[in-house]
């Protein structure tokens, strides 16, 4: 990680060295550590310290970009020189905009010193892992997983006076318990390692692995499903594909012509919100613009799109602070998703289900059709048959092919959201989910 | 560099490591992207750092830093040992590595024209000319072109006495045309999807391909797909083009034969494998026509190296022989675990900051005989699909599903109609077991996968898969659209 003073010094040095008409730079730093275990032993244990400086030089209507991880004087000089040289080669870009002036950013605290790799070292991580492995052995299971912690910083500046800095920490504990013919999984990610209880996660994984032994084969088809938050993330996180204003404008989004129309059930409201307590992400984008909170879907109606500066100018609206940086051909991307949940518990969802399937998580989700927003993938690590309000037995895994908008029109119950894979996602009960084939386990 | 490597190794040993290796890597990248009549991105990246991997108290430790000073090297090597000592609190038995010779050698990717010396105007000029050709076809809304070049200059040294210098070059080129209709969008890519064809070559890759010549056809197919019929659902004989077959090999043969997956060390993330060690030598993986070979020595391969990231010399060996599972992708540790005398040399890392993992090398389906025209003529009722668009497979690599950009229905030996959104789904051994026709060497092309993800923290690796078009009998097609 790079502290604010050092980030400011490096970025000021970039601006001082650059002879371009305008200059923009981003600087990222990351210190991370991860302990990985499988077959009841630690088999991989790593730590890395890296950084990246990207300089974009603008000469008239030409722009060039260069990046380096060398932050000494020679490295900075070279990356500034390279960016300018590339800009000289580049054809003119009629849509290239002048850099913006200083902006105001919403402050947020996302840094916990007790979570950085210096504070939680390999011995602490090994101790947490050892306890889980002992519990798994006690149940004649094998445990696998990863315990990671990191601190990172990001800063951006330009020659018109923009400077923004953000730092944060993160930790994640993920565990899979395995028996001969079954597995169970649990995961918790958080800004602070203190929020994570590895032993509780280990127990959940072990209980699921034991409960999912001797899985029975069930015919694929449309079923009522109760999805844990990780499974919901696996489906809903494909939605941002449609909320990119550039792709909507080009007719390449499933939302082209549908903004302001009903695309989901009344109970669905989805935000892009870096300021949400579960996220606390950087308050600026790759162009140094302040990130706005976007309401992507409000009570089922498609509402806001994500704009970078160029697309915003084309459409005569304000940029939303979701640029991917530079002169991207890919437009803007709504990050930090928050799906507003409900007040139901997972247990209530199960109790209310006459016949259905409880899904722990999905795996290898991929988009099958961007215009219909059909997603495919597999279930994994705990799939259970629900009958008369109770989990009855484990079943073999399925492949699904599911339209996301159709899915969002059949949500019956939701819980409070939790952070999973970078999204605030609730558990859900959904009618008519399409499982299309089975597998051998 | 040799002195810095020695400093890392000496420090690790003095702190208690029984084995250590160090990799110092400098990477240069250049990426160019055009969109319609303009340049979307021109970017150069340089990256330098080192990683130290050690065994201490019988367990692994790894630490990496971008700071190449004597002080940082000593500190990082010591940290790797401390991490290994922490790992050793939770171990079953001490790590053992298969023995092997040490090497002092230099190896370079054969390059005819250095891509980093080719003027940017030449590269951009070609991509913009291609876009112009694509946009000339009415109905094309977006034309995109890509060129990417990577050079990794790396030093590997180990406490066993190896000191290996390698200079690896990879190049990629491709383009796509996107046509937009009423409520439909269709894309065609050339030579392959996902930023085109990548190989272990220099700029000669770009010069050898008929890029401009194919632009018109690519654009016309994208537009034609807007009004094409939807691929029907049901069981059909399926012909895969070589580029789609490459990804089929990757997902349903390459990943399942990675021995770390087989032995369970990827269980929490990428998953395990159905191809367990008790099946080695006795699992019928495919029909007797199917022979699949791993080859780190293949000229032009994305995974072609002189040595892997454990310092093991590049090799060629069979994974599937006449349909039977006969081999795995191995490391020194996993080879020892299954009693093999030496590693196959499949360990590679994504740069200096990541620990080497078992990664696919170049894995190819051996050609048989006949042309694609012969294969079509031999097919009574089938579907031919080309150019990957979507992929997914379960965590034991059994149930897979793919989607492609384009398909054609074949009736009585002839292509009779164009099909949009073709998909197919199968079970790995049933699918390979149904292979009854593989075209000959004249149709064999080395395709590339430049974005293979694996591991925690995540790593990306590149590898090639050679394939000629092949036929599979009675496959589920049209899945995902059949509701």
């Amino acid at each position: 990680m790079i502290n604010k003073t050092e980030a400011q010094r490096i970025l000021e040095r970039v601006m001082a060295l650059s002879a371009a008409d305008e200059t923009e730079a981003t600087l990222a730093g990351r210190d991370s550590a991860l302990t990985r275990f499988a077959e009841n032993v630690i088999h991989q244990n790593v730590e890395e310290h890296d950084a990246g400086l990207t300089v974009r030089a603008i000469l008239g209507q030409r722009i060039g970009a260069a990046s380096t991880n060398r932050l000494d004087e020679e490295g900075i000089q070279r990356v500034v020189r390279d960016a300018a040289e590339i800009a000289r080669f580049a054809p003119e870009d009629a849509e290239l905009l002048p850099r913006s002036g200083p902006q105001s950013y919403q402050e947020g605290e996302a840094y916990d010193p007790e979570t950085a790799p210096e504070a939680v070292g390999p011995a602490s991580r090994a101790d947490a892992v050892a306890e889980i492995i002992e519990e798994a052995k006690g149940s004649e299971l094998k445990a696998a997983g990863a315990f990671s912690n990191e601190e990172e910083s990001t800063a951006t500046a330009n020659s018109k006076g923009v400077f923004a800095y953000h730092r944060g920490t993160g930790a994640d504990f993920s565990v899979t318990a395995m028996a001969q013919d079954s597995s169970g999984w649990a995961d918790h990610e958080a800004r602070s390692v203190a929020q994570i209880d590895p032993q509780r996660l280990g127990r959940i994984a072990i209980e699921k692995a034991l409960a999912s032994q001797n899985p029975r084969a069930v015919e694929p088809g449309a079923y009522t499903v109760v999805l844990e938050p990780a499974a919901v993330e696996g489906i809903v996180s494909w939605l941002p594909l449609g909320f990119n204003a550039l792709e909507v404008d080009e007719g390449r989004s499933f939302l082209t012509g549908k903004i302001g129309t009903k695309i989901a059930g009344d109970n669905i409201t989805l935000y892009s919100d870096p300021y949400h307590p579960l996220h606390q992400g950087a308050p600026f984008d790759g162009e140094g613009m302040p990130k706005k909170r976007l309401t992507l879907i409000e009570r089922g109606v498609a509402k806001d799109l994500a704009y970078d500066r160029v697309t915003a100018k084309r459409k005569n609206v304000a940029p939303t602070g979701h640029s991917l940086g530079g002169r991207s051909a890919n437009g803007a991307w709504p990050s930090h998703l928050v799906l507003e949940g409900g007040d139901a518990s997972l247990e209530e969802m199960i109790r209310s289900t006459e016949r259905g399937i409880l899904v722990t998580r999905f795996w290898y989700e991929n988009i099958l059709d961007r215009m219909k927003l059909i997603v495919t993938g597999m279930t994994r690590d705990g799939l259970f048959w629900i009958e008369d309000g109770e989990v009855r037995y484990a079943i073999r895994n399925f492949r699904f092919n599911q339209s996301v908008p159709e899915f969002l029109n059949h949500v019956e119950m939701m819980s409070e959201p939790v952070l999973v894979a970078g999204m605030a996602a609730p558990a859900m009960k959904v009618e008519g989910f399409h499982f299309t084939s089975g597998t051998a386990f | 560099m040799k002195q810095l490597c020695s400093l890392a190794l000496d420090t690790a040993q003095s702190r208690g490591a029984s084995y250590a290796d160090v990799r110092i890597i400098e990477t240069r990248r250049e990426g160019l992207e055009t969109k319609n009549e303009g340049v979307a991105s021109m970017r150069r990246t340089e990256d330098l750092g080192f990683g130290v991997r050690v065994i201490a108290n019988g367990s692994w430790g790894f630490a990496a830093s971008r700071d190449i000073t004597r002080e940082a090297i000593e500190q990082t090597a010591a940290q790797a040992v401390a991490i290994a000592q922490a790992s050793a609190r939770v171990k079953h038995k001490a790590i053992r590595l298969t023995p092997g010779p040490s090497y002092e050698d230099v190896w370079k990717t054969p390059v005819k024209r250095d891509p980093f010396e080719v003027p940017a105007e030449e590269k951009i000029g070609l991509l913009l000319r291609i876009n112009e050709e694509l946009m000339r076809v009415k109905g094309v809304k977006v034309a995109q072109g890509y060129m990417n070049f990577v050079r990794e200059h790396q030093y590997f040294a180990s406490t066993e006495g190896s000191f290996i210098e390698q200079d690896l070059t990879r190049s990629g080129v491709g383009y796509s045309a996107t046509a937009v209709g009423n409520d439909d969008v269709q894309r065609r890519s050339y030579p392959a999807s996902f930023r085109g064809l990548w190989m272990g070559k220099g700029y000669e890759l770009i010069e050898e391909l008929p890029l401009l010549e194919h632009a018109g056809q690519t654009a016309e197919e994208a537009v034609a797909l807007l009004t094409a019929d939807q691929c029907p659902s049901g069981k059909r004989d399926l012909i895969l083009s070589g580029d789609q077959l490459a990804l089929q090999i990757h997902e349903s043969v390459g990943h399942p034969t990675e021995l770390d997956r087989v032995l369970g060390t990827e269980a929490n993330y990428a998953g395990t494998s159905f191809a367990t060690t008790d099946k080695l030598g006795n699992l019928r993986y495919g029909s007797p026509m199917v022979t699949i070979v791993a080859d780190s020595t293949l000229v032009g391969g994305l995974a072609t190296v002189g040595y892997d990231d454990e310092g093991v010399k590049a090799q060629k060996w069979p994974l599937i022989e006449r349909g039977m599972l006969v081999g795995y992708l191995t490391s020194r540790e996993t080879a020892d675990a299954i009693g093999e005398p030496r590693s196959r040399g499949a360990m590679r890392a994504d740069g200096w900051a990541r620990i080497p993992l078992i990664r696919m090398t170049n894995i190819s389906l051996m050609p048989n005989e006949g042309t694609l025209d012969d294969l079509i003529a031999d097919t009574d009722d089938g579907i031919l699909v080309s150019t990957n668009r979507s992929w997914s497979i379960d965590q034991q690599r059994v149930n897979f599903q793919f989607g492609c950009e384009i398909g054609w229905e074949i009736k009585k030996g002839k292509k009779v109609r164009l099909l949009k959104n073709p998909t197919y789904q199968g079970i790995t051994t049933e699918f390979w077991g149904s292979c009854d026709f593989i075209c000959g060497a004249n149709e064999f092309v080395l395709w590339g996968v430049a974005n293979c993800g694996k591991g925690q923290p995540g790593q990306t690796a590149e590898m090639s898969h050679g394939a000629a078009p092949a036929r599979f009998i009675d496959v589920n097609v049209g899945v995902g659209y059949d509701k």
Side-chain angles (χ1 to χ4, degrees):
Chain A
M1 195 190 75
I2 298 166
N3 65 38
K4 189 173 183 179
T5 308
E6 179 66 358
Q8 202 149 14
R9 184 194 70 75
I10 291 169
L11 292 172
E12 281 174 0
R13 187 68 189 137
V14 169
M15 299 307 148
L17 285 168
S18 177
D21 297 339
E22 290 187 347
T23 306
E24 181 177 80
T26 56
L27 177 66
R30 184 165 176 263
D31 300 322
S32 60
L34 182 143
T35 297
R36 220 173 171 206
F37 55 103
E39 297 281 303
N40 288 343
V41 299
I42 291 178
H43 67 97
Q44 187 184 318
N45 209 344
V46 301
E47 187 170 317
E48 69 179 71
H49 306 272
D50 200 7
L53 171 64
T54 296
V55 176
R56 287 183 280 274
I58 294 97
L59 297 168
Q61 288 299 114
R62 302 167 196 271
I63 184 168
S67 302
T68 185
N69 73 340
R70 295 187 57 187
L71 303 182
D72 55 7
E73 178 65 15
E74 187 190 336
I76 296 171
Q77 284 185 16
R78 194 150 83 199
V79 75
V80 168
R81 197 170 57 235
D82 278 358
E85 190 185 320
I86 294 167
R88 271 191 290 279
F89 290 139
E92 291 201 338
D93 178 352
E95 283 198 303
L96 190 64
L97 296 172
R99 302 302 94 187
S100 62
Q103 305 287 323
S104 299
Y105 306 105
Q106 186 172 324
E107 292 291 324
E109 187 52 81
Y111 186 80
D112 169 29
E114 299 305 316
T115 295
E118 268 192 16
V120 183
S124 305
R125 294 193 302 274
D127 287 344
V129 168
E131 282 190 45
I132 286 170
I133 285 176
E134 283 311 307
E135 284 202 38
K137 282 181 181 171
S139 299
E140 297 185 346
L141 299 174
K142 288 178 176 172
F147 187 4
S148 64
N149 54 317
E150 65 174 27
E151 57 178 352
E152 60 182 347
S153 62
T154 178
T156 190
N158 72 26
S159 52
K160 290 258 187 88
V162 161
F163 176 76
Y165 177 87
H166 180 81
R167 66 175 185 168
T169 49
D172 187 277
F173 197 99
S174 173
V175 56
T176 304
M178 292 187 296
Q180 193 64 32
D181 62 357
S182 69
S183 58
W185 175 85
D187 177 274
H188 188 181
E189 65 177 272
R191 285 282 166 210
S192 171
V193 77
Q195 295 167 9
I196 295 174
D197 180 353
Q199 275 58 56
R200 186 182 72 86
L201 297 170
R203 281 194 295 275
I204 293 170
I206 288 168
E207 282 166 14
K208 274 188 182 276
L210 293 172
S212 59
Q213 292 181 103
N214 305 311
R216 301 184 197 178
V218 170
E219 283 300 305
Y223 288 97
T224 299
V225 288
V226 175
L227 305 180
E228 295 194 16
V232 171
E233 186 277 336
I235 302 287
V236 177
S237 62
W238 293 95
L239 271 172
L241 278 174
F243 287 89
N244 177 342
L246 179 65
E247 295 209 353
V248 171
D249 189 40
E250 290 173 341
R252 295 197 286 158
S253 162
F254 79 97
L255 282 177
T256 299
K258 293 182 184 157
I259 297 300
T261 69
K262 199 86 186 312
I263 63 163
D266 291 339
N267 54 354
I268 299 301
T269 295
L270 179 71
Y271 302 105
S272 165
D273 184 4
Y275 311 107
H276 189 278
L278 287 172
H279 284 307
Q280 298 170 312
F284 50 89
D285 71 0
E287 296 180 304
M289 300 306 292
K291 274 196 171 160
K292 290 182 181 169
R293 179 179 187 266
L294 300 181
T295 304
L296 304 174
I297 301 174
E298 189 170 45
R299 289 193 287 279
V301 176
K303 201 176 167 200
D304 297 337
L305 298 175
Y307 287 88
D308 61 3
R309 293 173 68 231
V310 167
T311 314
K313 183 159 189 284
R314 274 188 205 166
K315 307 306 286 184
N316 199 26
V317 298
T320 61
H322 293 83
S323 164
L324 301 170
R327 176 73 173 87
S328 172
N330 301 316
W333 183 266
S335 56
H336 302 99
L337 294 186
V338 179
L339 182 58
E340 230 179 42
D343 55 6
S345 68
L346 191 72
E347 291 69 28
E348 286 168 339
M349 294 180 206
I350 294 167
R351 271 205 301 276
S352 71
T353 302
E354 196 177 327
R355 282 162 58 88
I357 291 170
L358 171 62
V359 181
T360 299
R361 67 161 166 161
F362 292 126
W363 163 248
Y364 223 133
E365 306 92 331
N366 207 337
I367 193 84
L368 189 69
D369 190 307
R370 286 174 74 101
M371 292 303 280
K372 296 181 175 71
L373 211 62
I374 300 171
V375 176
T376 188
M378 296 292 303
T379 61
R380 178 175 174 178
D381 298 327
L383 191 68
F384 301 95
W385 182 254
I386 302 168
E387 201 164 304
D388 297 331
E390 285 183 23
V391 173
R392 298 288 180 180
Y393 47 82
I395 61 175
R396 285 192 189 172
N397 288 293
F398 281 129
R399 169 170 298 287
F400 67 88
N401 281 279
Q402 178 64 50
S403 149
V404 180
E406 183 195 2
F407 170 90
L408 291 176
N409 272 295
H410 292 89
V411 176
E412 293 211 328
M413 298 169 83
M414 284 187 282
S415 70
E416 283 283 311
V418 297
L419 187 65
V420 53
M423 175 184 169
M428 276 183 175
K429 180 182 169 186
V430 185
E431 294 294 326
F433 191 86
H434 295 278
F435 292 115
T436 52
S437 58
T439 189
F441 58 94
Chain B
M1 286 299 175
K2 203 165 187 175
Q3 284 178 337
L4 293 176
C5 289
S6 295
L7 178 63
L9 300 179
D10 293 345
T11 304
Q13 281 188 309
S14 70
R15 295 295 186 117
S18 57
Y19 169 86
D21 57 42
V22 58
R23 291 174 302 116
I24 301 176
I25 302 178
E26 182 168 22
T27 306
R28 288 176 69 189
R29 295 174 192 274
E30 184 176 285
L32 301 99
E33 184 178 344
T34 54
K35 183 173 178 182
N36 297 343
E37 69 284 355
V39 176
S41 170
M42 282 180 74
R43 183 181 180 127
R44 280 184 204 156
T45 304
E46 65 164 28
D47 180 89
L48 175 66
F50 71 99
V52 183
R53 187 179 72 144
V54 306
I55 299 174
N57 295 359
S59 290
W60 287 116
F62 178 83
S65 173
R66 65 183 173 83
D67 188 4
I68 302 202
T69 59
R70 293 184 66 84
E71 186 188 1
I73 287 171
E74 286 177 334
Q75 194 181 345
T76 303
Q79 178 65 1
V81 175
I83 290 172
Q85 287 163 345
S87 304
R89 295 177 182 210
V90 190
K91 76 175 179 195
H92 174 51
K93 57 185 179 182
I95 302 289
R96 289 196 332 185
L97 305 178
T98 52
S102 57
Y103 300 93
E104 289 207 31
D105 200 1
V106 177
W107 193 89
K108 289 184 178 183
T109 305
V111 169
K112 291 179 184 161
R113 191 176 179 202
D114 184 348
F116 294 95
E117 298 299 323
V118 176
E121 297 95 312
E122 183 177 335
K123 298 167 184 165
I124 287 292
L126 175 59
L127 290 179
L128 288 176
R129 280 203 304 284
I130 290 168
N131 281 7
E132 200 179 321
E133 288 298 312
L134 296 172
M135 298 293 286
R136 212 186 284 279
V137 175
K138 195 179 169 193
V140 171
K141 176 83 175 176
V142 177
Q144 287 173 288
Y146 309 95
M147 278 191 204
N148 287 279
F149 307 99
V150 182
R151 173 157 297 144
E152 275 185 298
H153 194 92
Q154 55 178 253
Y155 300 88
F156 170 90
S158 76
T159 49
E160 294 174 345
S162 282
F163 184 78
I164 298 164
E165 182 179 353
Q166 298 198 90
D167 198 67
L168 309 175
T169 301
R170 298 186 288 272
S171 299
V173 65
Y175 58 82
S176 65
T178 303
V180 177
N182 292 332
D183 287 332
D184 198 11
V185 172
Q186 293 291 334
R187 183 168 64 184
R188 283 295 286 139
S189 308
Y190 181 84
S193 47
F194 306 107
R195 295 178 182 247
L197 177 62
W198 291 63
M199 293 189 79
K201 287 185 170 185
Y203 197 76
E204 63 271 17
L205 170 69
I206 284 82
E207 295 172 324
E208 288 164 2
L209 288 167
L211 294 164
L212 265 171
E213 293 85 335
H214 267 273
Q217 182 187 336
T218 303
E220 281 160 14
E221 285 179 350
V223 175
L225 281 169
L226 291 174
T227 51
D229 293 334
Q230 172 64 38
C231 177
S233 300
K235 295 252 186 186
R236 293 290 185 93
D237 292 350
L238 178 70
I239 298 172
L240 299 186
S241 64
D243 62 337
Q244 173 55 31
L245 195 45
L247 199 63
Q248 181 75 49
I249 294 165
H250 180 93
E251 301 291 2
S252 66
V253 177
H255 280 305
T257 54
E258 295 165 343
L259 191 51
D260 55 349
R261 290 184 69 117
V262 174
L263 296 178
T265 50
E266 290 290 326
N268 183 58
Y269 181 59
T272 58
S273 170
F274 76 93
T276 46
T277 53
D278 56 308
K279 294 174 181 157
L280 186 65
N282 58 53
L283 172 68
R284 176 151 289 287
Y285 209 110
S287 71
M289 190 174 280
V290 175
T291 289
I292 294 179
V293 171
D295 188 355
S296 312
T297 69
L298 195 60
V299 174
L302 278 171
T304 300
V305 293
Y307 301 86
D308 78 350
D309 287 339
E310 288 192 308
V312 176
K313 204 170 179 60
Q315 297 162 51
K316 177 181 179 180
W317 72 102
L319 298 173
I320 313 284
E321 202 156 40
R322 290 188 289 280
M324 302 302 289
L325 174 69
V326 295
Y328 289 116
L329 300 151
T330 66
S331 63
R332 294 181 66 187
E333 181 186 359
T334 57
D336 181 80
I338 62 166
E340 292 208 342
R342 62 171 185 158
S343 164
R344 292 296 191 177
M347 287 286 268
R348 289 191 293 148
D350 183 2
W352 53 267
R354 301 283 151 86
I355 196 165
L357 300 173
I358 292 180
R359 301 311 307 260
M360 267 175 252
T361 182
N362 310 301
I363 298 176
S364 303
L365 174 66
M366 293 297 100
N368 191 27
E369 60 183 359
T371 64
L372 178 58
D373 287 342
D374 295 336
L375 173 49
I376 292 169
D378 187 66
T379 301
D380 187 52
D381 181 10
I383 287 174
L384 162 63
V385 299
S386 179
T387 318
N388 183 263
R389 193 170 90 171
S390 173
W391 67 102
S392 173
I393 187 163
D394 73 41
Q395 60 102 346
Q396 291 186 20
R397 302 274 150 178
V398 177
N399 178 319
F400 60 79
Q401 181 178 306
F402 292 96
C404 291
E405 288 185 354
I406 193 165
W408 293 269
E409 187 166 41
I410 295 167
K411 292 279 187 191
K412 297 187 178 4
K414 289 191 167 48
K415 283 183 181 177
V416 292
R417 62 171 172 155
L418 189 68
L419 300 173
K420 70 165 80 172
N421 309 324
T423 56
Y424 67 96
Q425 178 272 330
I427 298 295
T428 294
T429 50
E430 290 173 12
F431 182 79
W432 285 106
S434 77
C435 181
D436 77 336
F437 196 119
I438 302 172
C439 291
N442 288 343
E443 301 276 359
F444 183 89
V445 173
L446 198 56
W447 300 95
V449 172
N451 59 347
C452 175
K454 186 177 176 182
Q456 292 172 297
Q459 300 196 32
T460 301
E462 308 81 8
M463 59 286 297
S464 294
H465 301 295
R471 184 173 64 195
F472 301 83
I473 301 304
D474 225 14
V475 178
N476 274 327
V477 300
V479 288
Y481 289 86
D482 49 350
K483 293 192 289 289

